[in-house]
Amino acid sequence: MTILERPLAEADTDACLRLVAEAGWNQTANDWKTIFEIGETCGLFQDGTLIATAAIVLHGPVGWVCMVLVTPSAQRRGHATHLLKWAGNRLDELGLTAGLDATPAGRQVYLHLGYTDIYPITRMQCDGPLPRATTNSSPAIRAVMADDLDALLALDHDAFGIDRSALVASLIRRRPDLASGIFDGDTCLGFVLAREGRRATQVGPLVARDEALAVELLHHVLDRSEGPVFIDLPDGHVALRAALEARNFTAQRTFTRMLRGKTQAFDDTRLVFALTGPEFA
């Protein structure tokens, strides 16, 4: 049995989506397009058929390991471990810190590869947000405009500590109807973005100077969302989680944010109220 290893390209998108569907994940062709634009990929092929993938998304000093997928018939043959080592070696070459969001099962593998727990995450989901219970007056939340990008990126950098400008710009383009913020002159006090998914709208990132603003931004985006919604919360945001539960959200699964060779987070969960998703940090 001969396995061919090579970088993936946009021509492989349909094959990548087949693996996503087999795993029951939420990514779309647009997610893969973003990964091809701002990251690097590796695929394993058997007799011309894609059987496994991995990617690293490059965010300045951090390389985000993601999309580690293996088709069911090829699992338990070491392909995932091989691809994780590819990602780690490539990030070592680039001088970047490796990070990822691990499922409980994956976490055991990553611990043996030198990754350290940073903080826990809970994915909340609903089939459709319930109307909010109250209609209290909200801050001046409005759609994000092209001229807002610098202010929004300044807050994103304060929150995440890394350069995510290409990612943020791509998210705004994907769902401009949901990209919303609170601004004080040239300063962004909070923003929320979202993207379409194969199974649900993924809300995030949600970044704000305090939790009260984050809750209002959350309600704003949920009021404009239809159908199933996923949102990944760093644990500890009590008011935000209560607001989600009041609107029909329940916990779906947990993740652990992990870094290799570091014990301190690069992002500040005092400002980060919802993450972009395990694909993008």
Side-chain angles (χ1 to χ4, degrees):
M1 179 177 60
T2 301
I3 302 295
L4 170 67
E5 177 177 327
R6 66 165 172 81
L8 298 166
E10 284 202 44
D12 299 306
T13 299
D14 286 347
C16 293
L17 291 174
R18 175 178 53 80
L19 297 189
V20 168
E22 289 175 347
W25 289 7
N26 196 41
Q27 292 81 18
T28 67
N30 280 330
D31 290 314
W32 280 104
K33 181 179 180 181
T34 300
I35 290 168
F36 294 141
E37 289 173 348
I38 65 175
E40 298 184 14
T41 59
C42 185
L44 301 181
F45 293 79
Q46 181 180 330
D47 298 327
T49 298
L50 180 66
I51 62 168
T53 65
I56 50 176
V57 176
L58 307 179
H59 295 305
V62 173
W64 201 248
V65 181
C66 61
M67 305 311 293
V68 181
L69 286 160
V70 182
T71 195
S73 63
Q75 291 176 4
R76 302 188 182 278
R77 298 181 186 174
H79 297 317
T81 300
H82 172 79
L83 288 168
L84 285 167
K85 289 179 179 178
W86 162 82
N89 291 339
R90 179 60 180 142
L91 291 173
D92 286 344
E93 291 175 2
L94 296 171
L96 304 182
T97 297
L100 51 80
D101 288 341
T103 63
R107 175 177 172 272
Q108 300 304 316
V109 175
Y110 303 134
L111 287 170
H112 290 296
L113 293 174
Y115 288 81
T116 302
D117 293 348
I118 302 298
Y119 60 76
I121 301 161
T122 300
R123 170 165 291 180
M124 304 292 288
Q125 69 170 15
C126 76
D127 292 333
L130 292 175
R132 70 169 93 184
T134 61
T135 55
N136 296 332
S137 60
S138 300
I141 301 173
R142 61 170 175 80
V144 171
M145 311 298 289
D147 291 346
D148 298 322
L149 185 58
D150 287 346
L152 192 151
L153 289 174
L155 178 57
D156 189 79
H157 192 274
D158 286 348
F160 287 94
I162 54 178
D163 180 7
R164 303 189 336 141
S165 54
L167 171 63
V168 169
S170 74
L171 294 173
I172 294 171
R173 288 194 301 270
R174 285 175 63 172
R175 286 302 302 267
D177 57 316
L178 296 181
S180 307
I182 303 170
F183 298 88
D184 180 8
D186 293 333
T187 301
C188 181
L189 302 178
F191 69 89
V192 61
L193 306 177
R195 57 196 162 98
E196 78 290 350
R198 194 182 67 87
R199 297 176 53 201
T201 298
Q202 179 88 41
V203 170
L206 170 53
V207 178
R209 290 295 178 187
D210 62 55
E211 193 162 12
L213 292 177
V215 169
E216 290 303 324
L217 284 161
L218 173 71
H219 284 310
H220 182 85
V221 73
L222 294 182
D223 289 345
R224 290 154 179 79
S225 300
E226 297 180 354
V229 177
F230 294 165
I231 182 167
D232 295 348
L233 306 184
D235 287 2
H237 295 308
V238 177
L240 198 75
R241 177 151 180 171
L244 284 167
E245 290 173 343
R247 299 195 65 171
N248 202 35
F249 282 77
T250 58
Q252 180 206 103
R253 65 191 302 180
T254 61
F255 297 95
T256 302
R257 179 144 293 194
M258 306 182 79
L259 295 176
R260 193 182 58 155
K262 302 284 185 179
T263 59
Q264 298 296 317
F266 59 85
D267 47 348
D268 184 349
T269 56
R270 295 171 300 177
L271 302 177
V272 179
F273 291 89
L275 298 162
T276 314
E279 311 85 358
F280 294 123

